[in-house]
Amino acid sequence: MDKIAVLIPCYNEAKTVEKVVTDFRRVLPEATVYVYDNNSTDGTAELAAAAGAVVRHEYQQGKGNVMRRMFREIDAEAYVLVDGDDTYPAEAAPEMVRAVTERQADMVVGDRLSSTYYTQNKRPFHNFGNDLVRFCTNNLFGGKIKDIMTGYRAFSFQFVKTYPVLSRGFEIETEMTIHALQRNMQVDNVVIEYRDRPEGSESKLNTYSDGFKVLGTILRLFKNYRPFAFFGVLAAVLAVFGVGFMIPVLNEYFHTGLVPRFPTLIVCCFVLVAALLLFVSGVILSSQLAKDARDFEFQLQTVQHWQSTARE
């Protein structure tokens, strides 16, 4: 087991990867730096190896796929995850590692948005997207995380070995954050300085397509982790529509004894039945979620025992 593992997922980062590896080897001399190359065609892997990194490969395209491979293969007491684009300062890494090793944090978020991000980042829609994702995540899942989409994080062994990587692309950051909030893990924020990519280095993140994937991930995880609220809201909406259209029909029946709009009455009955089914589904899934939470706590104990054994 490594004491500290620095994880750098890379796809065509030849202009910056050598500097990133060198910087992290300097500030964390006791760490092992791993670069996972994701089908780069510009010599990223060779440059990383020359700089002293342990280079491995993931052939399924996508940042989520790379992280799944890293989390499976590497055992360490503390992990630092950073992008290979040289936008994050290596100097913040020791503080983030101490939050894991000394303050028992499960995930440490490198907070760009509280420092220089808005002045350095030249893509205004990215700024809006970061604010929107932060607002949705914190309000739907009860968090106080300052930067949801940051690619600079530190993790504990328990987090890495109990986190199921389901996303394939850049929505992975949102998924990690929501997982930590849902599992009541300790999350710390460390303010970091952010610098935009150097000239000639291009972002792989598409503002619109990846942005919609992130919002879809939030909605999917809200359904999975807050089923009673999700299905309860849908049931309430259907119930309001059903009752709203049914009231005039019933009012006319009580005054005349006739029901001239049978199709409306039938549709309203079906809508109300659907609302009832959604409500019951939310109740059942909430009970299953409670059992899943109990099972997860036992899983954490198993992983902690495994870590203690590995140290010995």
Side-chain angles (χ1 to χ4, degrees):
M1 176 180 288
D2 296 322
K3 182 176 182 181
I4 303 171
V6 178
L7 310 179
I8 309 175
C10 283
Y11 172 61
N12 288 341
E13 299 288 3
K15 292 185 178 296
T16 55
V17 68
E18 191 171 6
K19 181 178 183 300
V20 173
V21 172
T22 302
D23 287 349
F24 276 89
R25 292 189 67 201
R26 172 174 52 83
V27 301
L28 292 174
E30 71 275 33
T32 304
V33 178
Y34 295 91
V35 169
Y36 273 71
D37 181 66
N38 195 205
N39 302 312
S40 296
T41 57
D42 61 352
T44 294
E46 291 76 10
L47 290 169
V54 177
V55 177
R56 296 179 181 177
H57 298 270
E58 170 54 49
Y59 298 103
Q60 291 191 89
Q61 199 66 38
K63 187 174 182 179
N65 291 323
V66 177
M67 290 186 58
R68 181 185 296 110
R69 180 71 60 185
M70 291 190 299
F71 285 4
R72 285 177 181 174
E73 292 184 350
I74 298 173
D75 296 334
E77 294 185 23
Y79 301 77
V80 177
L81 174 70
V82 65
D83 293 336
D85 55 9
D86 194 33
T87 58
Y88 301 107
E91 288 71 20
E95 180 182 358
M96 298 172 71
V97 169
R98 284 194 296 272
V100 173
T101 58
E102 298 177 9
R103 299 199 299 271
Q104 299 179 335
D106 290 298
M107 182 171 72
V108 183
V109 175
D111 174 17
R112 311 160 297 168
L113 304 187
S114 298
S115 61
T116 56
Y117 182 79
Y118 293 108
T119 57
Q120 288 288 319
N121 183 45
K122 305 300 189 298
R123 296 157 291 182
F125 283 106
H126 280 212
N127 297 340
F128 171 76
N130 273 288
D131 289 339
L132 178 62
V133 170
R134 177 172 60 176
F135 175 83
C136 292
T137 302
N138 284 332
N139 282 276
L140 290 176
F141 295 93
K144 295 181 180 179
I145 298 179
K146 304 298 184 182
D147 190 351
I148 307 297
M149 298 295 295
T150 180
Y152 197 10
R153 300 172 189 247
F155 306 103
S156 67
F157 181 83
Q158 289 89 348
F159 180 93
V160 167
K161 297 306 179 182
T162 59
Y163 167 56
V165 182
L166 301 178
S167 298
R168 299 179 181 179
F170 285 102
E171 62 271 26
I172 186 70
E173 282 93 357
T174 306
E175 184 184 80
M176 285 190 297
T177 303
I178 294 174
H179 172 78
L181 293 175
Q182 173 64 19
R183 296 306 186 184
N184 195 31
M185 290 185 162
Q186 181 180 330
V187 180
D188 286 0
N189 295 283
V190 172
V191 177
I192 63 169
E193 298 294 319
Y194 175 85
R195 50 183 178 256
D196 205 8
R197 280 173 169 267
E199 186 176 353
S201 176
E202 297 182 359
S203 173
K204 314 306 184 297
L205 176 66
N206 184 286
T207 303
Y208 301 103
S209 63
D210 288 313
F212 282 119
K213 288 179 182 178
V214 168
L215 293 177
T217 297
I218 294 174
L219 183 62
R220 171 175 59 83
L221 294 177
F222 182 65
K223 172 181 70 70
N224 293 341
Y225 289 149
R226 297 284 193 274
F228 185 77
F230 180 83
F231 289 104
V233 168
L234 293 180
V237 171
L238 289 182
V240 168
F241 275 102
V243 172
F245 281 101
M246 184 179 284
I247 287 176
V249 177
L250 294 177
N251 186 53
E252 192 169 357
Y253 170 75
F254 289 132
H255 282 83
T256 66
L258 300 174
V259 183
R261 290 182 289 177
F262 262 110
T264 302
L265 179 63
I266 293 171
V267 170
C268 288
C269 290
F270 276 114
V271 170
L272 291 174
V273 169
L276 179 62
L277 290 174
L278 286 172
F279 178 79
V280 172
S281 298
V283 172
I284 294 173
L285 291 174
S286 293
S287 299
Q288 292 181 343
L289 189 65
K291 179 182 181 304
D292 179 63
R294 291 192 297 271
D295 292 342
F296 180 78
E297 292 301 319
F298 286 119
Q299 184 183 4
L300 273 180
Q301 294 178 22
T302 302
V303 170
Q304 189 170 9
H305 176 71
W306 177 28
Q307 182 183 17
S308 300
T309 303
R311 286 173 178 168
E312 296 172 359

